[in-house]
Amino acid sequence: RAEVLTIGEAMAAVRCAGPLRLGGASRISVAGAEFNVAIALARLGHAARWAGAVGEDEPGELVRRTLRAEGVLTDAVIRRTDAPTGLLLRDVAPGGRARVSYYRTGSAASALSWEDIRPAADHGFAGLHLTGITPALGPAPLAAVTVAADQARNRGSWVSLDVNHRSLLWTRDAAARALRPLLPQVTVLIASDDELAIVADGDGERDRVEALLDAGVEEVVIKRGAAGASYRDARTSLDAPALAVPVVDVVGAGDAFTAGYLSGRLDGLDAHGRLERATLLGAACVACDGDWEGLPTRDELPALRLRAGDTLR
Ligand code: ATP
């Protein structure tokens, strides 16, 4: 039985140091929001299962091998012969702007269905972690996460949802239509401050948090980038600063943050402790190259436990 089951998409990620059209050396890794969370949790010693579909191809083997190497449970990973693993290319445009191109149309993950997920759900779990990316991939993944969330709550598990809006995949209106019906099943809602309006109406942040709590969410966790993060529930309101770190690569910070929060929750920490672990992991991710490569193991956590304003080098 896993502590956390997470369902999603993982892609091969090719990174180039300059414009791709010039060729040259590149580095291949794996990218995927739920994939990042699963690895972050496993590094902290939690039993995490990642369920998703990859192609029966070399990128798919890279996904499976990386998960296994990191101690994530992979028995629910599906390998399709009729669809490839998705791919993303990250390069640097002239002028220094980071640029990402996705090749995921018709990918194995875009057809992920509830039938694919059911065996993983049947294994049992304390909590189910979802993001707003998987339901954006198509009708089948949207149905899969919706059924998974319903079943998780019926079985007494908690459900976390990171809104993780991706404007290349769908509009804010489409995301709102898909994600708002999930809210009654969501225990922990995680969002950037600018994503709150996707899942809740209201004039300002306070109104939107209120609307989320009214909809049945128990814990609202707000990511604010270098400005830190906040926690709100019916009784508690906490704000935490970000740790001062040299900013190397901000991609993946949100997923690391989410894993830190969920890890604290699994360990029975109070809201302050959960937020502290979340901002610690977010900062650790920002301070290293890669989406998940720089995340700490449980043994490494104490060395990272610095006060806000201290520098992590
Ligand atoms: P992404 O989608 O790229 O993963 P996000 O928008 O979901 O990012 P952010 O708000 O950028 O998430 O970051 C999540 C958390 O990571 C923040 O709340 C903060 O605690 C930490 N963090 C982000 N940027 C920094 C930074 N520059 N310095 C220190 N901590 C940071």
Side-chain angles (χ1 to χ4, degrees):
R1 185 169 183 267
E3 289 176 273
V4 175
L5 168 66
T6 185
I7 299 169
E9 175 192 37
M11 289 175 285
V14 178
R15 292 156 210 259
C16 308
L20 186 140
R21 69 180 64 181
L22 299 182
S26 63
R27 188 164 69 82
I28 301 187
S29 179
V30 181
E34 304 86 357
F35 173 95
N36 296 340
V37 171
I39 288 181
L41 286 170
R43 285 212 182 161
L44 293 176
H46 298 289
R49 176 173 280 117
W50 182 85
V54 295
E56 211 170 86
D57 48 25
E58 283 297 298
E61 288 310 296
L62 173 66
V63 170
R64 296 196 326 131
R65 184 176 187 274
T66 307
L67 288 167
R68 280 200 305 272
E70 294 291 337
V72 176
L73 301 168
T74 56
D75 49 352
V77 180
I78 293 179
R79 286 192 293 168
R80 287 197 207 291
T81 50
D82 57 347
T85 306
L87 172 73
L88 77 79
L89 302 176
R90 199 177 285 163
D91 74 341
V92 182
R97 189 177 54 84
R99 180 169 55 184
V100 182
S101 316
Y102 293 93
Y103 299 82
R104 59 182 13 149
T105 306
S107 71
S110 60
L112 191 73
S113 69
W114 165 244
E115 286 311 312
D116 296 333
I117 299 305
R118 188 198 294 264
D122 286 344
H123 279 304
F125 47 84
L128 172 70
H129 177 65
L130 303 171
T131 80
I133 298 174
T134 307
L137 298 177
L142 170 60
V145 302
T146 304
V147 178
D150 283 349
Q151 296 228 344
R153 285 316 286 275
N154 287 340
R155 294 176 187 184
S157 303
W158 52 263
V159 174
S160 53
L161 172 68
D162 183 345
V163 175
N164 242 330
H165 184 61
R166 293 290 181 266
S167 54
L168 285 177
L169 283 175
W170 56 357
T171 62
R172 288 170 73 92
D173 282 348
R177 280 195 299 277
L179 299 182
R180 289 185 184 212
L182 295 177
L183 293 179
Q185 318 298 347
V186 172
T187 323
V188 182
L189 189 282
I190 302 154
S192 301
D193 41 12
D194 64 330
E195 291 171 341
L196 282 176
I198 295 174
V199 282
D201 293 326
D203 266 345
E205 187 174 297
R206 187 193 288 259
D207 277 7
R208 292 184 187 122
V209 169
E210 203 61 40
L212 288 168
L213 297 174
D214 286 346
V217 174
E218 292 171 28
E219 300 164 25
V220 179
V221 187
I222 305 163
K223 297 177 282 189
R224 304 187 195 279
S230 301
Y231 170 90
R232 310 275 186 257
D233 68 21
R235 286 168 304 282
T236 319
S237 177
L238 291 172
D239 300 300
L243 286 154
V245 286
V247 179
V248 176
D249 175 8
V250 295
V251 180
D255 304 326
F257 172 93
T258 293
Y261 183 84
L262 298 180
S263 166
R265 208 172 185 282
L266 290 164
D267 285 358
L269 303 185
D270 63 11
H272 176 80
R274 286 178 239 151
L275 213 46
E276 187 181 58
R277 190 171 294 175
T279 52
L280 194 64
L281 256 78
C285 181
V286 164
C288 293
D289 205 10
D291 301 1
W292 50 269
E293 287 86 339
L295 297 176
T297 62
R298 175 142 323 229
D299 292 347
E300 290 164 340
L301 265 189
L304 294 182
R305 197 159 289 125
L306 305 167
R307 291 188 313 274
D310 286 353
T311 300
L312 182 70
R313 288 187 191 279

